[in-house]
Amino acid sequence: MSSLGDFPVSIHADEGPRRKHIFEIDLNSKYPGHKIVIDTMKEFVKVNFANASVEAFGNTVGILGDYATGSTVARDQKTVLNDFNELGSEWQVLPTDDMLFHDISYPQFPQRCMLPEDARGEQHRHLLENKISEEEAEAACAKNLSDVLDIKDCVYDILATQDMDMVGSY
């Protein structure tokens, strides 16, 4: 893929054990200094709107929410969904949606998305069984990150996946 919606796309891939890919959509031709960065690592996806502004994203609504209000809404742009499993199912890619990725993988609509076994809380019950301690995760994250919220998210991701490589996703 070399462009998306007439905006140039650059792709950077690390085929090592992290399987990290970065897709940069350069919006500079219409919105100077703006870009969308989609960062994938293993089965995780992170989206960053560099230099986001009302001019560029003010009417944007999707699985990441409503830019103007921050609300997570259904496709009808009215129904507020606070359950992230419900939100993900609502925004599952439909056959009428544009194709962003090269591969079509299971599940595809009308089959429903696979939900996590326990999106909240079950990790705490098994905390004593974890091979990576919270202190080890905090040390690894703090070594590479300075933003307090990034460190918190990083620690959560490491503990949830029991994978120290998750530091590389930030």
Side-chain angles (χ1 to χ4, degrees):
M1 172 186 338
S2 61
S3 67
L4 181 67
D6 294 328
F7 295 109
V9 176
S10 59
I11 303 170
H12 311 280
D14 170 14
E15 298 301 330
R18 292 183 180 164
R19 300 185 312 272
K20 186 171 183 170
H21 294 80
I22 299 172
F23 303 83
E24 291 187 2
I25 305 165
D26 186 353
L27 307 177
N28 200 51
S29 63
K30 187 168 182 179
Y31 304 105
H34 292 74
K35 64 182 171 180
I36 301 170
V37 181
I38 303 169
D39 190 342
T40 67
M41 187 175 131
K42 298 184 180 181
E43 68 272 15
F44 296 91
V45 177
K46 176 173 75 174
V47 179
N48 181 35
F49 297 87
N51 299 317
S53 69
V54 172
E55 176 192 9
F57 301 106
N59 64 352
T60 303
V61 178
I63 193 168
L64 299 177
D66 180 321
Y67 182 86
T69 66
S71 297
T72 47
V73 294
R75 286 178 181 256
D76 68 9
Q77 299 184 18
K78 295 175 185 156
T79 307
V80 175
L81 301 173
N82 292 315
D83 179 290
F84 292 118
N85 289 334
E86 187 179 351
L87 179 71
S89 293
E90 170 70 14
W91 285 97
Q92 180 178 5
V93 176
L94 301 175
T96 55
D97 294 333
D98 290 333
M99 181 78 167
L100 180 60
F101 300 101
H102 295 282
D103 299 328
I104 298 174
S105 61
Y106 173 83
Q108 292 293 311
F109 188 83
Q111 294 171 319
R112 303 304 293 165
C113 291
M114 294 175 289
L115 299 177
E117 290 181 24
D118 184 357
R120 299 185 188 267
E122 190 62 26
Q123 294 292 331
H124 298 301
R125 194 174 73 142
H126 298 292
L127 200 53
L128 296 176
E129 300 170 20
N130 291 342
K131 295 176 183 173
I132 300 172
S133 71
E134 189 169 350
E135 292 77 21
E136 290 170 316
E138 286 175 354
C141 294
K143 180 178 175 183
N144 295 296
L145 302 168
S146 57
D147 182 78
V148 176
L149 292 176
D150 282 346
I151 293 171
K152 181 180 176 182
D153 290 343
C154 175
V155 169
Y156 175 85
D157 288 348
I158 288 173
L159 293 177
T161 62
Q162 287 295 290
D163 184 351
M164 284 294 241
D165 282 346
M166 293 306 295
V167 172
S169 69
Y170 290 86

